[in-house]
Amino acid sequence: MSRRVVRQSKFRHVFGQAGKAEQTYEDIRVSKVTWDSSFCAVNPKFLAIIVEAGGGGAFIVLPLAKTGRVDKNHPTVNGHTAPVLDIDWCPHNDSVIASASEDTTIMVWQIPDYTPVRNITEPIVTLEGHSKRVGILSWHPTARNVLLSAGGDNVIIIWNVGTGEMLVSLDDMHPDVIHSVCWNTNGSLLSTTCKDKTLRVIDPRKGQVVAERFAAHEGMRPMRAVFTRQGHIFTTGFTRMSQRELGLWDPNNFEEPMALQEMDTSNGVLLPFYDPDSSIVYLCGKGDSSIRYFEITDEPPFVHYLNTFSSKEPQRGMGFMPKRGLDVSKCEIARFYKLHERKCEPIIMTVPRKSDLFQDDLYPDTPGPEPALEADEWLSGQDADPVLISLRDGYVPPKSRELRVNKRNILDVRPPAGPRRSQSASDTSFSQQQQQQTLETLLEEIKSLRERVQAQEERITALENMLCEFVDGTD
């Protein structure tokens, strides 16, 4: 008899576990908009969730530690005039988030470290260039302030958020609706999927399609694609018989897939979340109640099924924590934030280990919050891999970076390279105007707090009087 050889992998026994009741976020009215985005974005400081909003679009931002019931009057971020479709945290500044909306605009917001008293309605910058709704956002992995957006006008635009200008517009590459866009590791290439069933690899600075594959999945339902660390492309889609399917492709040879596996029959689009450090891809279907995960390796069959985390409740959306936000002392290798109809629940993926020591093999150096390039350097043709950090001593989020307001680069916190230019009159007046707005906002909040304190003091006085009357009456 031949013995079956079990594949060796440190991730074979990864298991998922839902967070305890006290770790969940309750009473959140998650958006009911029909759109295949994750509706949730998370980083080591904040959790952001797209919520229901009357007459416009809004999302809520909670400090990660603020678990439990969320006050129904908790301030929201609501500058859009139509529903928000996608949100994405900046990888280089944990207080900056971008939102895309049906109102055709993208807005970029600075979230304060303190919980604001009122709704946040003034974005740092509004980016206008799409003619139809904007449903996809993705920050550049290594260049500061570079943001990609894709809209229902079948156009991809790459912006310099710091100056509010359009760097690249790819408007003649997709004849139909764009379903997904993903950067590769150093941000030199994009992979896109489209309603025309074509998987494309694009060099955005040259404005060229480098490689393409028609019908990577033969079904008509939406495809998704993500780059792996090896430069391959992992896809999810549907067969002609509407079975869900996953694939792995080499962009240098699109003729044959490296792997193609049928999965199950379901309507939900599978959203792939890829972790380059472990080379594990997690598949979360909207409307599913499970997360399936696979390890991608260099040996055939390349995509290896690991396990499935199952629960009772279907997921409305999913947030994926960057590696630097995980608890390395508990061998946590991934954490999801699963959206229910009225709450958000963390799901923790763990590698069981007996030792309490730092596990070097589970935590290679991972991308940190420092960008490797400036926007103009990237646009000029430079490429750089992410700046890596060690998680050996855990990760402490840096304090919120002070917002420097000048027209050259709104979000920049470093002094510009080269000789210092003199500040123009327009810059000065712009800066003074921003300072005045900030001052007015702070004064308003102080006034509001004072009014609330005064009301509480009056209430206390009234109660004390009632108590005195009651005591006098009993005597």
Side-chain angles (χ1 to χ4, degrees), residues 88-98 107-111 123-127 139 143-147 159-164 369-371 374-375 400-416 430:
D88 197 25
W89 287 105
C90 175
H92 307 127
N93 188 333
D94 285 344
S95 298
V96 171
I97 188 169
M107 293 182 176
V108 180
W109 310 83
Q110 172 101 13
I111 305 300
I124 306 165
V125 65
T126 301
L127 306 172
W139 290 90
R144 186 195 304 273
N145 296 341
V146 175
L147 176 66
W159 308 85
N160 181 346
V161 170
T163 59
E370 274 304 308
E374 297 298 328
S400 182
R401 303 183 185 188
E402 188 183 344
L403 207 62
R404 271 186 52 181
V405 182
N406 66 51
K407 282 191 175 178
R408 180 187 172 274
N409 201 333
I410 291 172
L411 300 179
D412 196 0
V413 293
R414 295 193 308 198
F430 186 67

Side-chain angles (χ1 to χ4, degrees), residues 282-410:
Y282 302 85
L283 303 184
C284 309
K286 273 197 142 179
D288 287 9
S289 53
S290 62
I291 300 172
R292 273 172 267 212
Y293 40 106
F294 299 78
E295 185 178 0
I296 300 173
T297 65
D298 296 328
E299 309 92 37
F302 302 110
V303 180
H304 307 269
Y305 171 74
L306 289 172
N307 209 337
T308 300
F309 166 81
S310 296
S311 58
K312 293 176 184 174
E313 298 289 323
Q315 52 229 17
R316 298 280 297 272
M318 197 69 79
F320 188 46
M321 175 67 81
K323 208 49 162 287
R324 56 198 168 90
L326 303 182
D327 186 346
V328 297
S329 67
K330 293 179 179 169
C331 296
E332 183 183 355
I333 62 160
R335 192 190 312 151
F336 291 90
Y337 286 78
K338 173 182 171 179
L339 299 187
H340 299 246
E341 197 169 332
R342 298 281 300 189
K343 72 174 182 179
C344 176
E345 169 188 51
I347 293 167
I348 295 145
M349 299 289 178
T350 307
V351 176
R353 291 276 168 99
K354 291 178 181 175
S355 171
D356 290 336
L357 300 174
F358 179 74
Q359 306 292 312
D360 295 85
D361 60 326
L362 297 184
Y363 301 106
D365 288 356
T366 194
E370 274 304 308
L373 295 170
E374 297 298 328
D376 49 0
E377 292 173 333
W378 175 79
L379 188 63
S380 69
Q382 291 185 45
D383 291 320
D385 288 332
V387 179
L388 304 180
I389 58 170
S390 169
L391 298 178
R392 176 171 289 277
D393 302 315
Y395 172 75
V396 180
K399 287 195 174 177
S400 182
R401 303 183 185 188
E402 188 183 344
L403 207 62
R404 271 186 52 181
V405 182
N406 66 51
K407 282 191 175 178
R408 180 187 172 274
N409 201 333
I410 291 172

Side-chain angles (χ1 to χ4, degrees), residues 174-360:
H174 300 89
D176 214 324
V177 177
I178 299 163
H179 287 148
S180 74
V181 184
C182 176
W183 296 97
N184 67 348
T185 305
N186 67 2
S188 59
L189 296 172
L190 301 171
S191 69
T192 70
T193 61
C194 177
K195 196 176 178 183
D196 70 353
K197 293 167 65 171
T198 303
L199 169 64
R200 294 175 175 84
V201 179
I202 296 170
D203 183 328
R205 288 168 297 193
K206 291 181 179 173
Q208 292 176 353
V209 176
V210 179
E212 61 183 359
R213 161 76 197 215
F214 177 69
H217 299 281
E218 294 186 343
M220 287 303 298
R221 303 225 356 105
M223 257 195 302
R224 288 284 187 277
V226 290
F227 270 106
T228 71
R229 70 181 182 201
Q230 295 92 347
H232 300 143
I233 297 174
F234 179 90
T235 59
T236 64
F238 293 80
T239 66
R240 201 173 289 162
M241 304 302 291
S242 291
Q243 278 202 300
R244 294 198 290 197
E245 190 174 47
L246 61 83
L248 187 67
W249 306 84
D250 181 353
N252 298 316
N253 180 16
F254 261 150
E255 292 301 312
E256 289 294 322
M258 296 169 65
L260 201 61
Q261 295 180 24
E262 287 184 12
M263 294 176 64
D264 59 6
T265 305
S266 174
N267 286 333
V269 175
L270 285 168
L271 305 179
F273 295 92
Y274 176 71
D275 172 20
D277 295 346
S278 61
S279 207
I280 295 177
V281 65
Y282 302 85
L283 303 184
C284 309
K286 273 197 142 179
D288 287 9
S289 53
S290 62
I291 300 172
R292 273 172 267 212
Y293 40 106
F294 299 78
E295 185 178 0
I296 300 173
T297 65
D298 296 328
E299 309 92 37
F302 302 110
V303 180
H304 307 269
Y305 171 74
L306 289 172
N307 209 337
T308 300
F309 166 81
S310 296
S311 58
K312 293 176 184 174
E313 298 289 323
Q315 52 229 17
R316 298 280 297 272
M318 197 69 79
F320 188 46
M321 175 67 81
K323 208 49 162 287
R324 56 198 168 90
L326 303 182
D327 186 346
V328 297
S329 67
K330 293 179 179 169
C331 296
E332 183 183 355
I333 62 160
R335 192 190 312 151
F336 291 90
Y337 286 78
K338 173 182 171 179
L339 299 187
H340 299 246
E341 197 169 332
R342 298 281 300 189
K343 72 174 182 179
C344 176
E345 169 188 51
I347 293 167
I348 295 145
M349 299 289 178
T350 307
V351 176
R353 291 276 168 99
K354 291 178 181 175
S355 171
D356 290 336
L357 300 174
F358 179 74
Q359 306 292 312
D360 295 85

Side-chain angles (χ1 to χ4, degrees), residues 28-104:
I28 298 168
R29 295 186 307 143
V30 177
S31 174
K32 292 185 172 68
V33 172
T34 307
W35 190 253
D36 285 328
S37 74
S38 58
F39 282 17
C40 179
V42 64
N43 68 24
K45 278 173 74 173
F46 294 111
L47 170 69
I49 299 168
I50 302 174
V51 293
E52 285 286 281
F59 59 97
I60 192 167
V61 176
L62 302 168
L64 213 58
K66 192 178 172 60
T67 53
R69 186 178 164 278
V70 177
D71 190 312
K72 67 177 189 295
N73 296 319
H74 191 284
T76 58
V77 183
N78 63 353
H80 289 286
T81 57
V84 175
L85 300 178
D86 199 13
I87 48 178
D88 197 25
W89 287 105
C90 175
H92 307 127
N93 188 333
D94 285 344
S95 298
V96 171
I97 188 169
S99 59
S101 168
E102 273 190 15
D103 66 9
T104 76

